[in-house]
Amino acid sequence: SGLRLLGGAITEGPGSGRRRHPVFLQGCRKIEIAGISATYHGKDGQGIVFNWQGEGSNVHHNVVYDKGTATTSRHQQLAAIHFSPAVGSSNSKVHHNIVLRARQTGIQFGASESAARKGEAQAENLELSNNMVYLGSCMTNSMGVSASGAIKGFVLRDNRIYGRGEMPECIFVGTGASYGRVFGNYTYSRSTGKVSQEYGSTSSLSFALRMCWGPHHLDVHDNTFLTSSGVTDGFHGNARCIWAACSDPRQPEWKTSGEIAVRNNQIVAMLDESGDAYARAITVCGHHQASSRGLVFRNNRVTTNAHCVVLSESYGCGSSDVQFTGNTFVKAANGEAFAWLHCGYW
């Protein structure tokens, strides 16, 4: 408790190694890490790792550079800054950090997923703000900033996230994260990666915001969400600016995700002229069941030369309960593929 790690540089040497993390802490509380430059490249490496942290930790003004590409499994969610709060902890912040590049995830807030599904005690009052993240994804489901699991009352604000590579997701909120605010963020994503051995062409997806696997009670407002799509070296992109699949089939008693408001955002999804590709500004679907109830899109400005709204796709059906009110849909130039609403999947 009470450790302060301030200033200095930590660089992994040429010998490399597996799971060599510049900073690794476990089971601590009231920790401050600031002014650290961390560079690493080894297989399964992460940058600054906090496992099962107690209350009151503060990670700020650090620079993390992940030069690696190798991983044993993408399910590890390797992160430049990995912050895993202990269930029941509170009042921690990750702010004003720069991630120069991450192979999979930039900054991750992640607590116990099983605790979230059981409704057990959650980590509360967490803030991730004013960070800059550059994602150079090498694998499926790579995230710029992420909030998931048993966290409640969180804030993701004023971050700048740029995602490229294989299936980049600038902001991910999922798996039971609740009572959160997402605002003031600026994101841009574009899939430029190789075809995934695991999912094939699914690796062509890119997201500015992905809400998935059961988050609930969210307020997403006053963000700028940008994505673009085209053909890069024969690779056909498939962009979703906002993708909402908020139901969780692993928790069937959850009949609603509960009051998710997406409001007053700038949402832009653009196709370039490089060839056959896809772009969708807003997609609502479910995990092979009805999607989230209580989901409202209000007073957003949506600009695209492709699809404005898509209800259902191969990931599952849409929902008759989603509401759109007061939004402005703008057809951009060269909008030959433009459609303001697409319903159904076949």
Side-chain angles (χ1 to χ4, degrees):
S1 176
L3 173 68
R4 301 178 74 203
L5 182 60
L6 306 177
I10 304 172
T11 302
E12 184 176 10
S16 187
R18 183 167 179 251
R19 292 183 177 173
R20 300 294 189 262
H21 315 311
V23 178
F24 183 91
L25 298 172
Q26 184 158 317
C28 303
R29 57 192 289 270
K30 295 183 179 179
I31 304 298
E32 181 181 10
I33 296 183
I36 299 297
S37 174
T39 303
Y40 60 100
H41 61 271
K43 185 175 183 178
D44 296 330
Q46 301 188 85
I48 297 174
V49 180
F50 285 72
N51 275 344
W52 303 108
Q53 292 305 299
E55 74 278 4
S57 292
N58 189 7
V59 184
H60 62 97
H61 294 93
N62 301 288
V63 178
V64 184
Y65 189 10
D66 178 4
K67 292 185 174 182
T69 59
T71 180
T72 302
S73 168
R74 57 101 169 172
H75 296 288
Q76 297 178 97
Q77 282 301 317
L78 303 174
I81 300 176
H82 174 89
F83 194 95
S84 177
V87 172
S89 65
S90 61
N91 300 320
S92 290
K93 295 182 178 181
V94 178
H95 61 98
H96 292 95
N97 301 284
I98 298 176
V99 176
L100 293 175
R101 185 261 183 182
R103 77 187 77 180
Q104 186 174 21
T105 294
I107 303 174
Q108 182 179 39
F109 268 156
S112 169
E113 295 184 2
S114 61
R117 296 194 189 96
K118 294 175 183 177
E120 296 176 351
Q122 297 179 309
E124 297 186 357
N125 300 325
L126 305 176
E127 180 176 309
L128 197 162
S129 63
N130 293 288
N131 302 285
M132 183 172 289
V133 175
Y134 294 89
L135 187 61
S137 170
C138 299
M139 62 204 76
T140 301
N141 284 350
S142 293
M143 303 157 186
V145 299
S146 170
S148 64
I151 61 175
K152 181 180 180 180
F154 65 92
V155 172
L156 304 181
R157 68 170 178 87
D158 299 315
N159 301 287
R160 302 292 179 265
I161 306 125
Y162 304 89
R164 295 176 69 86
E166 180 180 334
M167 201 174 173
E169 306 171 15
C170 288
I171 297 177
F172 175 83
V173 181
T175 320
S178 63
Y179 296 93
R181 293 181 65 200
V182 180
F183 66 93
N185 301 286
Y186 181 97
T187 73
Y188 171 74
S189 67
R190 182 182 175 99
S191 180
T192 58
K194 65 182 185 301
V195 173
S196 168
Q197 293 182 355
E198 180 181 9
Y199 280 123
S201 62
T202 303
S203 61
S204 66
L205 292 169
S206 62
F207 307 90
L209 168 66
R210 185 183 184 190
M211 298 180 289
C212 188
W213 294 111
H216 57 95
H217 293 89
L218 306 177
D219 189 8
V220 181
H221 65 91
D222 297 291
N223 301 280
T224 299
F225 296 126
L226 309 175
T227 188
S228 69
S229 184
V231 179
T232 304
D233 297 328
F235 184 84
H236 299 256
N238 195 343
R240 275 98 164 123
C241 197
I242 294 181
W243 194 74
C246 302
S247 56
D248 188 346
R250 298 171 295 182
Q251 188 75 8
E253 63 268 29
W254 286 5
K255 301 300 182 183
T256 175
S257 59
E259 299 180 15
I260 295 180
V262 181
R263 60 185 178 89
N264 301 319
N265 300 285
Q266 293 285 340
I267 303 168
V268 180
M270 297 296 295
L271 282 174
D272 62 27
E273 298 178 353
S274 58
D276 184 19
Y278 301 91
R280 295 168 175 177
I282 297 171
T283 299
V284 178
C285 65
H287 300 96
H288 309 292
Q289 63 180 32
S291 186
S292 51
R293 297 180 175 91
L295 176 61
V296 178
F297 290 86
R298 182 172 64 248
N299 297 334
N300 300 286
R301 184 176 178 87
V302 180
T303 304
T304 184
N305 59 356
H307 290 164
C308 291
V309 176
V310 174
L311 301 177
S312 81
E313 59 175 12
S314 57
Y315 212 67
C317 57
S319 172
S320 60
D321 300 294
V322 64
Q323 297 182 31
F324 291 85
T325 178
N327 301 285
T328 300
F329 297 100
V330 179
K331 179 180 179 181
N334 302 318
E336 294 181 2
F338 179 84
W340 85 270
L341 179 62
H342 180 98
C343 296
Y345 174 76
W346 53 88

